[in-house]
Amino acid sequence: CKQAVPGDCPVVYADRAGYSRQWHPACFVCCRCAEPLVDLIYFWKSGAAWCGRHYCESMRPRCAGCDEIIFSEDYQQAEGLAWHKKHFACLECETLLMGKPFSLANSSLLCSTCSQSRV
């Protein structure tokens, strides 16, 4: 917040940021989601504090199917989203969609058959 910290106010020091920087406890938050980090493990990257979820997302993609980080280099991407290969499947019939036509609406994958039956 860039405001002065009164002498009687507790402060947060982030070891990785250096002891010249300090925060009000309520101001020590994730740079992406503003989650308070005072009692959590934090990550320091590019001059900012990150929560675990967003730090991991900055390093690896997150699966749109299971919401877990994808550590494998072998995954499927479409329209800015990523999936583990086993989760790149039709939402309704669970057919794997690798190399097959599909539609994507609101992060939901549908094979061409299920997509046509919804029309």
Side-chain angles (χ1 to χ4, degrees):
C1 69
K2 307 289 186 202
Q3 294 183 6
V5 179
D8 61 345
C9 180
V11 295
V12 173
Y13 290 100
D15 190 37
R16 295 176 194 109
Y19 284 101
S20 63
R21 296 185 69 179
Q22 56 187 357
W23 291 261
H24 297 102
C27 296
F28 190 60
V29 297
C30 173
C31 66
R32 292 277 307 275
C33 67
E35 178 180 12
L37 298 173
V38 170
D39 295 321
L40 300 176
I41 294 172
Y42 74 93
F43 296 84
W44 191 257
K45 178 182 171 190
S46 302
W50 297 65
C51 69
R53 178 179 182 91
H54 290 113
Y55 175 76
C56 289
E57 283 179 358
S58 77
M59 306 298 281
R60 302 291 312 157
R62 184 172 294 277
C63 179
C66 71
D67 199 40
E68 297 292 325
I69 295 293
I70 301 171
F71 291 103
S72 169
E73 294 298 325
D74 193 23
Y75 60 93
Q76 183 64 39
Q77 287 185 288
E79 296 187 28
L81 298 172
W83 289 264
H84 292 106
K85 282 192 166 188
K86 67 182 178 183
H87 296 143
F88 193 69
C90 178
L91 179 66
E92 292 189 10
C93 70
E94 299 181 3
T95 299
L96 291 178
L97 297 173
M98 294 296 295
K100 297 179 182 173
F102 65 90
S103 64
L104 179 63
N106 299 326
S107 302
S108 297
L109 293 165
L110 293 172
C111 67
S112 56
T113 302
C114 292
S115 178
Q116 289 173 1
S117 68
R118 281 193 168 190
V119 177

